[in-house]
Amino acid sequence: MRKKNFKRLNLLLALIISFSIVLSPALNSNVQAKGKKEVKNVILLIPDGTGITHTTLARWYKGGSPLAMDEIASGLIRTYSSDAVIADSAPAGTAMATGFKSHTGFIGVLPDVANMPLVDAIPKGEERRPVATVLETAKLKGKATGLVATSEFPHATPASFASHYPKRSDYNTLSEQMVYNNVDVVLAGGYSELTPAKRKDKEDLIKVLKERGYGVVRNNEELSNFKGNKVWGLFAPSAMPYDKDRTENTPSMATMAAKAIDILSKDKDGFFLMVEGSKIDWASHANDPVGVITEVLAFDNAVKVALDFAKKDKNTVVIVAPDHSNGGMSIGDSGLDKTYDNEPLSTFLPPLKAAKLTGEGLESKINSEKTNIKEVMSYYYGVSDLTAEEEEAIKNAEPGKLNYTVGPIISKRAHIGWTTTGHTGEEVGLYVYHPKGDRLTGVVQNTDIAKYICEVLGTNLSETTKTLFLQADKAFKNKGALVTVDSIDKENLVLIVSKGETEIKFPQNKDIAIVNGKVVKMPGVTVYSGDKEKIDISKWYVSQNAVDLIK
């Protein structure tokens, strides 16, 4: 009987083993599929200048309830640049866009110096070389692309994803590249940057956009009614107003994010979208806690829009990644040195809750003679005890800088501390949602954001750089061509390549080549990253397609 049972047991085990061998490929493939990172879409949301205190204060302001981003908190980001502990927005944005740390003021190009820990040195001759962005890798893969910001569109962060130049203040260059880089959706401020009156090159880039099939909308109603697939929404001459100050005809961050997702998600190949809460940073520079809180909450509403879409779509990664912190803000100041551990919420919140506008929005309420300052501060901020010194400071505030005066006045009453009006160098929060749980976690570098985006989209930054940004002089000379530059007009430089009967002109910042007078479109823009006054032929970069035009 025991022998029979033993034989039966062996037979049963053999059947189980055989069955498991037959099934194992299927089981293994399920495991692989579950762990696969690649998705169709990525939404990267950047709350500029946002530290942990910024989000903590915003939570208390809304009653202590969680922010939308809280549920996807996953780690911390190290924000330093290639040669400094505290990062400027240009290299910080560039790091997240390209996977390379860079130098203050540099947009989408390598730095001159890389001497911080864990940063590779820059090979000689590669300084200021343009490097591809995650937006450009997505575009080459056939995906739709979009940028949303509350600053003017060529400001440091949005510019870092769609342009390349070592001078963040050169809006003429950055904005032209962004127009010719064929981003499908751009929603921000900065209408004047595209007009001949503002531009040194006198080009009408609004006309260029319309000729290229873009809708150009100027207000919330026009954005809502837009039905096409390519749009630039420009909702202010320069930066958009703070959310606390905006009217109904100016779209919120959440509205812009929702519209961008609606348009971009029509593309069957997927999309990449960057959304920046630009003016959290600006409020921090001004030490304006009302601006900080209301901008964080407006940004978080956009995060909710992105997460709601991603959870329903099940093929979208959402990343929330501040570029750096700002202001050294603290909940509690030196006035509470002896009582800090006994202070209730009522110590901090009433002066913040009383505000009906930010310091910037308040400026329009003060008359030209500045005789109504006490009345304005009482009505719009609930401040009935304004001192003579504070009144004088408001009276003497520079135009456009009132928030730098009002912010500290409110901070003092709310016991919000600040250490600086500049950026700070500590780590910032990282938040990631992946439909299959393959999240970026732990303490990571800002450059890891770009690398992770490429992992989940199945794209390659180095290969895209090789495709879009070859050193033109070297590449064309290897084909026996002569390379010169027409620099008569410093605002409209042209690279000229000639061989035999072929002459090709490559206008700086554009995606076109003019071959013996005939215009040919290129997959990327021609970049000159050198000095406009002293032309360096080695600093011109063109795509592989451009080089292939010379036979």
Side-chain angles (χ1 to χ4, degrees), residues 19-33:
F19 192 56
S20 67
I21 290 171
V22 171
L23 282 182
S24 61
L27 291 171
N28 288 339
S29 67
N30 285 339
V31 170
Q32 288 167 359

Side-chain angles (χ1 to χ4, degrees), residues 122-344:
I122 303 302
K124 189 171 178 56
E126 293 289 284
E127 300 90 349
R128 306 191 180 203
R129 185 195 206 289
V131 280
T133 72
V134 290
L135 182 147
E136 289 166 334
T137 67
K139 195 150 61 74
L140 276 188
K141 196 170 181 179
K143 295 181 182 292
T145 57
L147 297 170
V148 171
T150 51
S151 64
E152 56 270 32
F153 72 89
H155 206 259
T157 302
S160 293
F161 287 83
S163 59
H164 309 267
Y165 198 65
K167 190 176 180 182
R168 62 174 286 180
S169 62
D170 191 341
Y171 278 12
N172 277 247
T173 293
L174 300 174
S175 59
E176 186 172 34
Q177 286 189 27
M178 294 175 80
V179 165
Y180 281 92
N181 218 344
N182 299 308
V183 183
D184 296 285
V185 175
V186 177
L187 305 176
Y191 182 86
S192 66
E193 302 301 332
L194 300 179
T195 62
K198 186 74 179 283
R199 298 187 58 78
K200 292 179 182 178
D201 59 18
K202 302 305 176 186
E203 291 198 46
D204 185 347
L205 294 181
I206 295 292
K207 181 181 177 183
V208 170
L209 286 171
K210 291 178 178 178
E211 289 174 346
R212 287 176 164 239
Y214 285 91
V216 178
V217 300
R218 299 294 309 279
N219 55 53
N220 202 11
E221 183 179 4
E222 290 178 357
L223 179 65
S224 177
N225 292 334
F226 181 78
K227 304 299 181 186
N229 297 328
K230 295 170 65 176
V231 64
W232 278 60
L234 300 165
F235 307 108
S238 54
M240 294 174 65
Y242 284 96
D243 192 75
K244 186 80 169 173
D245 305 331
R246 70 181 175 85
T247 64
E248 288 185 4
N249 216 20
T250 300
S252 66
M253 269 185 265
T255 297
M256 291 191 291
K259 188 65 173 184
I261 291 168
D262 180 57
I263 294 171
L264 298 173
S265 60
K266 296 175 187 177
D267 192 311
K268 61 181 178 58
D269 297 310
F271 67 86
F272 169 79
L273 171 64
M274 191 286 294
V275 178
E276 184 195 31
S278 316
K279 294 182 75 169
I280 303 170
D281 178 71
W282 297 18
S284 299
H285 278 298
N287 291 178
D288 178 359
V290 175
V292 166
I293 292 165
T294 53
E295 287 299 289
V296 168
L297 293 177
F299 173 83
D300 195 57
N301 289 338
V303 174
K304 185 179 187 306
V305 168
L307 279 173
D308 287 348
F309 171 82
K311 290 174 182 178
K312 184 177 180 181
D313 176 67
K314 295 181 171 47
N315 211 355
T316 299
V317 161
V318 175
I319 306 164
V320 178
D323 53 352
H324 53 74
S325 190
N326 190 342
M329 183 169 68
S330 62
I331 300 173
D333 62 5
S334 59
L336 304 179
D337 282 352
K338 296 181 179 179
T339 63
Y340 60 86
D341 54 341
N342 290 309
E343 299 294 342

Side-chain angles (χ1 to χ4, degrees), residues 368-444:
S368 57
E369 295 80 20
K370 299 186 178 180
T371 57
N372 65 337
I373 291 173
K374 283 188 175 180
E375 292 83 357
V376 165
M377 289 299 291
S378 176
Y379 178 77
Y380 288 100
Y381 270 86
V383 175
S384 56
D385 59 345
L386 197 69
T387 67
E389 185 182 9
E390 289 171 335
E391 184 179 4
E392 191 65 19
I394 292 171
K395 189 177 294 185
N396 294 328
E398 291 180 37
K401 295 288 186 180
L402 184 60
N403 51 345
Y404 281 78
T405 299
V406 173
I409 288 172
I410 301 306
S411 293
K412 182 180 178 181
R413 285 162 171 77
H415 292 284
I416 302 300
W418 301 89
T419 63
T420 178
T421 56
H423 296 177
T424 52
E426 70 274 19
E427 280 72 45
V428 295
L430 170 66
Y431 311 78
V432 181
Y433 168 82
H434 189 294
K436 295 170 186 172
D438 284 312
R439 303 197 299 159
L440 185 64
T441 61
V443 179
V444 305

Side-chain angles (χ1 to χ4, degrees), residues 12 46 50 80 87 107 137 160 217 221 243 254 260 269 338 362 378 385 429 444 448 458 469 476 533 540:
L12 181 60
I46 301 175
T50 298
Y80 61 91
I107 300 285
T137 67
S160 293
V217 300
E221 183 179 4
D243 192 75
D269 297 310
K338 296 181 179 179
L362 195 71
S378 176
D385 59 345
V444 305
D448 291 327
F469 304 114
F476 285 120
E533 298 302 321
W540 284 86

